[in-house]
């Protein structure tokens, strides 16, 4: 079975930049290609869009098929369509980025990926296609988002200490933050729920645990107050 | 001549949301469709991506062909790929938004547009396809961008008064701003160049003209200072 059209069409793919926090490092999930072109090279997980699925569904399916990941936070990043970006033929790709709680997910390589592995974002090999460029854009988007939207919580365990939260910001923004100022800002927005629990199994004095409260965040936005760190 | 592929492919289009400032209104450029589907309905200018052009080049070509617009500020917005968004078949569209100095551009309907016209953003008829949704997203993006990036200047004449600049912000953000606070913020960033000229042909006392200086803006960003209004 083949498909015939009046005018030539670009092929359409999706690619996913998946970030995970593995303290003290921000990591990105890559697959090793088992097919040409760039066979044996590391690349972003992704593949062709099927006719009967939305772009986001295609991204989710490819993630599941190539890495075993499911139910992750996923947002569209940008669409890349330079004429020469794929050596085979014209391929346009819709890039997504995803945030994953490493503690809750197991990664398994499958289908056309020979291998799947986490790399430190500052320690990534040269990638296939224009995936270096896509990864760079995704990292910048994450840095920007983190300051103005409550996306960072997607990378932490559901219950966390303020210290963990500050470390997350420091690792991703790549600079140290003033502890007092950070706590004042994040607690001042009242989007965190202080729990009646402390962290377990620590050598130092156990710190209070908090949880992000999406309902409080939505109420804050309705009042016209912006999230900002 | 037809094209045959092993697997079926979505068609790929670009669509453009073009904003212009026509005080006291923000306007958007629409075309009236001369072809099915939605023949006779208003829609965003756009069309199919050719194999030998980048997505941005396709957006520029369609704008030129359908509306006569050239050399406008253009940025990618989002890619829409819901399965049912086009009644004909699966069509994925990469949406762009553009900012235009109305004083410098003339709009001419052509090719598969029967008509092209500017509409107030709050006074737009029901559009073809999912273009209402795309327009809404573009307007939100513009509102956000305006606060954190110096894009507003693309909508003003190259030389403008501080009053004009404030009006631009008020019209797009849809709320009034405090004059003293606005001037303090915008002048404090030192991205404006005060000119040795005043506005011409006004009944009231002629106000000083300013020009946006992209070089000063880039230097500000290098120093780690964010644009913010």
């Amino acid at each position: 079975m083949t498909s015939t059209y009046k005018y030539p069409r670009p092929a359409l793919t999706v690619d996913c930049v998946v970030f995970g926090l593995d303290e003290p490092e921000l990591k990105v999930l890559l697959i090793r290609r088992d097919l040409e072109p760039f066979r044996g090279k590391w690349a972003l997980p992704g593949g062709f869009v099927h006719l009967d699925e939305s772009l986001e569904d295609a991204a989710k399916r490819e993630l599941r098929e190539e890495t075993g990941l499911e139910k992750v936070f996923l947002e569209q990043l940008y669409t890349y369509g330079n004429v020469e970006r794929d050596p085979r033929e014209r391929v346009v790709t819709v890039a997504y980025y995803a945030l994953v709680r490493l503690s809750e997910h197991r990664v398994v390589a499958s289908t056309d990926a020979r291998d799947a592995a986490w790399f430190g974002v500052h320690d990534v090999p040269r990638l296939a296609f224009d995936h270096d460029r896509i990864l760079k854009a995704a990292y910048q988007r994450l840095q920007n988002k983190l300051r103005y939207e409550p996306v960072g919580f997607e990378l932490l365990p559901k219950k966390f200490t303020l210290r963990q939260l500050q470390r997350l910001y420091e690792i991703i923004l790549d600079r140290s933050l003033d502890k007092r100022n950070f706590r004042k800002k994040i607690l001042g927005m009242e989007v965190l729920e202080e729990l009646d629990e402390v962290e377990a199994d620590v050598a130092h004095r156990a710190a209070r645990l908090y949880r992000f409260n999406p309902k409080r965040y939505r109420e804050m936005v309705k009042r016209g107050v912006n999230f900002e760190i």
Side-chain angles (χ1 to χ4, degrees), chain A:
Chain A
M1 259 294 283
T2 57
S3 297
T4 301
Y5 304 105
K6 194 169 167 196
Y7 299 104
R9 297 181 171 191
L12 188 68
T13 59
V14 287
D15 284 300
C16 300
V17 183
V18 185
F19 291 112
L21 184 71
D22 188 9
E23 230 192 300
E25 251 189 326
L26 181 69
K27 296 210 160 164
V28 61
L29 182 59
L30 301 175
I31 56 126
R32 199 198 283 268
R33 288 180 60 80
D34 207 16
L35 299 171
E36 291 295 347
F38 297 105
R39 187 173 175 178
K41 292 278 175 201
W42 292 94
L44 300 172
F48 293 96
V49 175
H50 297 175
L51 275 206
D52 61 351
E53 65 186 0
S54 70
L55 301 171
E56 190 169 319
D57 286 344
K60 286 177 180 167
R61 178 184 51 71
E62 285 291 341
L63 261 191
R64 194 175 57 241
E65 287 179 4
E66 293 196 340
T67 71
L69 281 180
E70 285 194 271
K71 291 179 186 159
V72 300
F73 173 94
L74 193 79
E75 277 194 356
Q76 199 185 98
L77 174 68
Y78 196 81
T79 297
Y80 294 83
N82 278 353
V83 175
E84 308 283 357
R85 59 176 296 283
D86 191 306
R88 291 167 291 188
E89 59 157 334
R90 182 76 191 277
V91 182
V92 170
T93 196
V94 185
Y96 281 79
Y97 74 99
L99 305 179
V100 163
R101 291 192 177 89
L102 279 190
S103 52
E104 292 176 16
H105 291 95
R106 210 165 56 96
V107 166
V108 190
S110 44
T111 65
D112 50 349
R114 187 194 296 178
D115 205 357
W118 293 95
F119 288 77
V121 283
H122 300 297
D123 194 28
V124 167
R126 182 90 166 71
L127 301 181
F129 307 104
D130 54 355
H131 289 187
D132 291 307
R133 185 182 168 203
I134 299 176
L135 169 58
K136 196 177 162 194
Y139 185 40
Q140 281 175 351
R141 176 76 63 94
L142 176 61
Q143 290 182 316
N144 284 329
K145 279 260 172 184
L146 200 66
R147 292 197 54 217
Y148 301 111
E149 284 180 44
V151 296
F153 306 108
E154 300 293 335
L155 292 162
L156 287 180
K158 290 209 168 127
K159 301 172 181 183
F160 49 82
T161 67
L162 293 181
R163 191 179 162 281
Q164 276 181 297
L165 185 61
Q166 182 175 340
R167 280 294 293 148
L168 166 84
Y169 273 84
E170 292 181 328
I171 289 166
I172 295 176
L173 299 179
D174 218 0
R175 60 190 169 86
S176 61
L177 299 171
D178 177 69
K179 180 175 160 183
R180 263 183 74 156
N181 198 25
F182 178 80
R183 294 192 174 199
K184 197 177 146 193
K185 273 190 184 168
I186 193 78
L187 294 176
M189 290 187 288
E190 297 180 356
V191 295
L192 296 188
E193 218 174 294
E194 186 175 335
L195 300 175
D196 221 6
E197 293 172 60
V198 294
E199 59 185 335
D201 307 321
V202 286
H204 53 87
R205 184 166 156 266
R208 174 73 60 181
L209 287 171
Y210 290 79
R211 182 163 55 193
F212 171 63
N213 187 321
K215 193 162 160 263
R216 286 194 196 166
Y217 169 66
R218 287 192 297 271
E219 286 165 3
M220 182 180 90
V221 171
K222 263 190 205 154
R223 290 197 308 274
V225 179
N226 292 319
F227 184 93
E228 193 172 342
I229 290 290

